[in-house]
Amino acid sequence: MNLIEVSHLHKRYRDHVAVEDVSFSVDEGEIFGILGPNGAGKTTTVECVSGLRKPDGGRIRVAGVDPVGERDRLRLILGAQLQSAILPDQIKVWEALDLYASFYPNPVHWPDLLDQVGLTAKRDARFGKLSGGQRQRLSVALALVGRPRVAVLDELTTGLDPQARRDVWELVEQIRRDGVTILLVTHFMEEAERLCDRVALIDGGKVAAADTPAGLIAGVGLDQSVRFRPSEPVDDGVLLALPEVHAVTRDGAHVVVRGTGNLAPAVTLALAEHRIVPGDLRIEQATLDDAFLALTGRKLQ
């Protein structure tokens, strides 16, 4: 079931077109990523989905609700953690949650929510004293306090250190396991590959492509590489005879094999048939960043 439907969305700010033609749908229960560089139109898109901006064209429905004409119904369905959201420095964590809970007819018992996002020990801490990762966890809690079916998370891990980023990723996965559909905005390729069931690549206000991360990478036919140090000399012809292999090169004592499809299993099986052990084996897969470059002609980050 499509929980979110966006069709031919268009949004203009005076002489600047932020979103030119964006269409996608999000299935109930999935994590759907909107991936693209800064300025691509990602935040404007989710602000329109969240009812915070009025589109100049196109159609949006969230569980059948029009975000512009039915905002009161929308806020019972959708919770949002937005990129620019901020709280007063002096407000305490519990005060913020208690305040937000008062906005809803059937909110989550917020002490339980504090425990879910790992902030119970920071219950009495003031917002201004929280670390970046703790602030993001609080933002997620505030987005969930109204028991939404959909959570919009915009650039959730920007500015966080690697460990804090991975902690937040685990939280996002937990939220999905609890039955919440997630619309995730990011410009981090690794984040999208780790979390998202499907992604829409947005560039210049348009959707360049939409698919699973693996499907996008496979769709542009990008090479993978397998690098290894053979235990015995290996004839290039043995590897070039494999349909998955495009090229074989040498880098000192190492052999580098490039190709597509099930490259690594094919190479290791061929080596095993010739009693050759691949030492220092390293497999390099194409990434979403590579796919974005192939589709748009420029790097994602």
Side-chain angles (χ1 to χ4, degrees):
M1 172 184 173
N2 290 338
L3 194 58
I4 302 174
E5 296 178 349
V6 178
S7 179
H8 303 294
L9 177 63
H10 181 86
K11 179 63 183 176
R12 183 185 192 95
Y13 302 112
R14 295 188 180 181
D15 58 349
H16 170 63
V17 176
V19 178
E20 186 169 348
D21 184 10
V22 166
S23 298
F24 61 87
S25 62
V26 180
D27 295 335
E28 187 163 15
E30 77 173 333
I31 300 177
F32 187 91
I34 297 181
L35 183 64
N38 292 329
K42 306 186 303 298
T43 293
T44 296
T45 295
V46 297
E47 286 178 344
C48 290
V49 171
S50 303
L52 299 176
R53 295 193 185 276
K54 183 178 179 181
D56 296 317
R59 181 180 185 273
I60 302 174
R61 292 293 183 270
V62 180
V65 171
D66 176 3
V68 175
E70 302 173 279
R71 290 190 63 183
D72 287 344
R73 289 184 62 195
L74 180 72
R75 73 182 184 88
L76 300 178
I77 298 168
L78 183 147
Q81 170 274 327
L82 298 177
Q83 186 176 359
S84 58
I86 194 166
L87 294 169
D89 280 349
Q90 295 306 309
I91 195 169
K92 294 181 180 179
V93 168
W94 77 264
E95 291 173 333
L97 278 164
D98 192 54
L99 174 64
Y100 272 59
S102 71
F103 300 155
Y104 299 96
N106 183 32
V108 174
H109 182 55
W110 60 257
D112 294 340
L113 194 55
L114 267 184
D115 185 58
Q116 180 183 0
V117 301
L119 285 179
T120 298
K122 293 293 181 179
R123 181 185 188 278
D124 294 315
R126 300 189 186 278
F127 181 77
K129 298 295 185 181
L130 299 179
S131 68
Q134 291 165 348
R135 290 187 181 196
Q136 294 297 61
R137 285 174 173 270
L138 177 58
S139 292
V140 172
L142 296 175
L144 297 177
V145 74
R147 300 184 189 272
R149 292 175 64 186
V150 178
V152 175
L153 307 177
D154 186 5
E155 299 288 4
L156 185 61
T157 61
T158 297
L160 301 187
D161 62 63
Q163 183 56 55
R165 181 172 296 157
R166 281 164 176 76
D167 289 344
V168 172
W169 289 352
E170 291 177 3
L171 175 59
V172 171
E173 291 170 332
Q174 177 187 336
I175 293 167
R176 194 262 289 277
R177 288 194 295 271
D178 291 339
V180 179
T181 300
I182 298 173
L183 184 58
L184 177 72
V185 179
T186 184
H187 65 273
F188 292 120
M189 168 256 319
E190 183 185 3
E191 184 164 282
E193 288 190 275
R194 159 77 181 265
L195 295 176
C196 297
D197 300 299
R198 293 186 300 130
V199 297
L201 299 182
I202 295 184
D203 184 44
K206 296 181 179 180
V207 175
D211 202 343
T212 64
L216 286 171
I217 294 167
V220 294
L222 297 172
D223 279 358
Q224 311 163 38
S225 69
V226 176
R227 177 188 176 92
F228 62 92
R229 179 174 46 79
S231 60
E232 302 289 342
V234 55
D235 187 336
D236 289 1
V238 169
L239 300 171
L240 289 170
L242 301 173
E244 294 86 358
V245 174
H246 295 165
V248 178
T249 58
R250 306 279 171 160
D251 182 11
H254 288 81
V255 177
V256 181
V257 183
R258 290 183 172 83
T260 56
N262 294 319
L263 179 65
V267 168
T268 53
L269 180 59
L271 294 174
E273 290 175 349
H274 289 78
R275 301 180 183 275
I276 297 172
V277 178
D280 300 333
L281 182 66
R282 180 176 177 182
I283 301 169
E284 293 184 354
Q285 302 279 359
T287 66
L288 275 177
D289 202 12
D290 298 323
F292 191 84
L293 176 61
L295 288 163
T296 67
R298 62 195 186 97
K299 281 280 190 181
L300 182 59
Q301 299 180 34

